[in-house]
Amino acid sequence: MNNSFDDTAFTAADVARTARLISPHIVRTPLLHSAAGPWGTAYLKCENLQHTNSFKFRGAISAVLHYQAEGGLLWRRIIRDGVVTCSSGNFGRAVARIADELGFACTVVVPDSMPDVKLQAMLTANPGVQVAKVPYAEWRRIITTSEYPASRSLFLSSETNHRVSLGNATIAAEILRDLSDVDAVLVPYGGGNLAYSIASYLRAAGRRTPVYAVEMTTGAPFAGSLRAGRPTDVEYLPSFVDGIGATFVIPAQFHRVRDLLAGSLLVSPDEVAESVSSLAFHDKIVVEGAGAAAPAAAARYAREYGWKKPCAVVSGGVIEPSLLLDTLRTSRGDAQTTARSTA
C-alpha cells in the first residue's frame, strides 16, 4: 500500500492551518506586476524564489510536517525507512533537502534523461540522497501508480498526495491576499497537482476565478485528454522546456482536474524562450522553461480573453546556465532582427 493518493477535498480553513504549519519553513514569495511589454497587465507569482527554486518545496515540506504532526505509523515509518519519491527534478530536490535537515533517508527515482543541472541541484541539497535512474517508460509507470516495490520507504507522490496538495494550495491563498480581484490564474501543467491545488482552493474560498492549465504545443496531453474525454497519449517532441510537456497525463489527476480547470492554453517553445528572456531583462528574474510558460500564455492570450489582472504562476527557476545564455542570445537576437525589419 503506497498511502499516496487521498482524494479528500479540502477547505479554505484546512489550507489556512497548513499555511501556519509551513510558514516558518518557506519563503512568502512576492507577487510582481510584470514590467515586460507584451503582458504588462500580468502579475507574476514568483515561486522561482521559493526554497530550492521551485513551488515543489511547499508541497514537500507540507507533507512531511503533516506526517510529523500526526505522528503514528506513517511518521514512524518515515523515520525508520525514509521516503521515496518519483520526480523529474524539482520535487526530488525539495524532498532531498528536507530529508537532510530532518535526518531521514531519501530515495528519488528520476528519468534517465533528466537534465544534469537538476541532478546536481538534488545532490547539492543532500549529498546522501539515493538517486535511482530508470528508463522513461518505467519512470512513467512509477509516477502514475505511486508504487516503487524496490524500496521499503513510504512513497511520497508529488501529484496525488493530499498533504502535498495542501501545501501547493497556499500559493492560491497568497495570490488572493495580494491581488483580491485577480481575474484569471495561469498554471504550468506538468503532473497537474499545482493546477488542481490552486483551482480547488479558489473553489473552496467561494471564488469563480478561472484557472487555466498551460501546456506546450510540442506535447499537450491534458488538452488531448480533454478532447478525447478520457486520459489519452499524445505525440511529444522534446524541447528545452523539461518541466512540462509529455506524452501522457496521470489518470487519477486528470479525473480530478477536468471539471476544475477552465481549459488548456498552448504555448510554443519560441514563445517560452521569449518569455524567459523578457523575465530576465525586464523583470530581473531567472526562470526555467516551465516557469516561463504561464507568463508566455499571458502574453499570448490576455487580449483574446479580455483579462485585466491575470496572475501567471512562475513555477521554478532551475535552468542550466549555458541553456539560459543560449536562450537569451537567441531571443534577443530575434527581437533585434524583427525591430530592424520593421523600422
Side-chain angles (χ1 to χ4, degrees), residues 155-245:
F155 195 99
L156 182 58
S157 171
S158 64
E159 301 304 331
T160 54
N161 184 287
H162 181 63
R163 300 162 185 83
V164 171
S165 300
L166 285 169
N168 290 342
T170 63
I171 296 172
E174 291 179 9
I175 290 171
L176 285 188
R177 282 198 294 272
D178 292 342
L179 189 68
S180 61
D181 55 348
V182 59
D183 57 6
V185 181
L186 282 60
V187 185
Y189 193 100
N193 194 26
L194 181 60
Y196 165 77
S197 302
I198 287 176
S200 293
Y201 177 82
L202 292 173
R203 179 172 290 189
R207 300 295 294 263
R208 300 177 63 86
T209 309
V211 178
Y212 293 89
V214 178
E215 295 186 280
M216 300 299 298
T217 56
T218 51
F222 180 63
S225 297
L226 284 176
R227 288 192 298 270
R230 56 179 175 78
T232 190
D233 283 11
V234 298
E235 292 185 4
Y236 169 69
L237 296 175
S239 74
F240 81 99
V241 184
D242 59 81
I244 61 174

Side-chain angles (χ1 to χ4, degrees), residues 333-343:
D334 290 346
Q336 290 170 3
T337 299
T338 301
R340 285 195 296 270
S341 66
T342 56

Side-chain angles (χ1 to χ4, degrees), residues 12-303:
D14 294 330
V15 177
R17 283 190 290 270
T18 298
R20 291 192 294 271
L21 179 68
I22 70 175
S23 62
H25 306 275
I26 66 166
V27 175
R28 174 52 159 94
T29 55
L31 186 76
L32 302 181
H33 189 189
S34 178
W39 57 85
T41 60
Y43 290 79
L44 310 171
K45 181 57 173 171
C46 296
E47 284 297 297
N48 58 308
L49 302 178
Q50 187 55 257
H51 292 312
T52 65
N53 301 118
S54 167
F55 80 94
K56 297 285 189 177
F57 188 84
R58 287 185 191 251
I61 193 67
S62 170
V64 171
L65 292 180
H66 273 292
Y67 283 126
Q68 185 182 52
E70 294 160 11
L73 292 176
L74 294 180
W75 178 244
R76 290 198 291 272
R77 181 178 173 189
I78 289 173
I79 295 302
R80 185 186 69 238
D81 299 326
V83 299
V84 59
T85 192
C86 187
S87 170
S88 60
N90 288 344
F91 191 74
R93 180 186 180 188
V95 174
R97 171 171 163 169
I98 295 163
D100 184 59
E101 291 178 351
L102 295 185
F104 57 82
C106 174
T107 299
V108 183
V109 183
V110 303
D112 53 16
S113 59
M114 187 179 77
D116 186 63
V117 65
K118 294 194 173 183
L119 175 60
Q120 293 306 314
M122 196 182 306
L123 294 171
T124 299
N126 183 348
V129 65
Q130 298 297 308
V131 178
K133 288 188 175 182
V134 298
Y136 183 79
E138 176 67 2
W139 181 85
R140 170 178 173 170
R141 185 197 66 76
I142 296 167
I143 201 167
T144 298
T145 63
S146 299
E147 293 178 351
Y148 186 59
S151 174
R152 295 176 55 189
S153 302
L154 180 75
F155 195 99
L156 182 58
S157 171
S158 64
E159 301 304 331
T160 54
N161 184 287
H162 181 63
R163 300 162 185 83
V164 171
S165 300
L166 285 169
N168 290 342
T170 63
I171 296 172
E174 291 179 9
I175 290 171
L176 285 188
R177 282 198 294 272
D178 292 342
L179 189 68
S180 61
D181 55 348
V182 59
D183 57 6
V185 181
L186 282 60
V187 185
Y189 193 100
N193 194 26
L194 181 60
Y196 165 77
S197 302
I198 287 176
S200 293
Y201 177 82
L202 292 173
R203 179 172 290 189
R207 300 295 294 263
R208 300 177 63 86
T209 309
V211 178
Y212 293 89
V214 178
E215 295 186 280
M216 300 299 298
T217 56
T218 51
F222 180 63
S225 297
L226 284 176
R227 288 192 298 270
R230 56 179 175 78
T232 190
D233 283 11
V234 298
E235 292 185 4
Y236 169 69
L237 296 175
S239 74
F240 81 99
V241 184
D242 59 81
I244 61 174
T247 60
F248 69 99
V249 293
I250 298 171
Q253 196 76 283
F254 173 75
H255 293 301
R256 294 206 296 179
V257 300
R258 60 181 298 180
D259 295 326
L260 278 175
L261 302 184
S264 175
L265 305 175
L266 305 188
V267 290
S268 70
D270 286 345
E271 289 169 324
V272 173
E274 176 58 30
S275 178
V276 169
S277 179
S278 292
L279 290 167
F281 283 100
H282 297 289
D283 295 301
K284 311 306 179 186
I285 59 175
V286 173
V287 302
E288 61 189 78
R300 178 170 178 178
Y301 294 100
R303 181 174 297 179

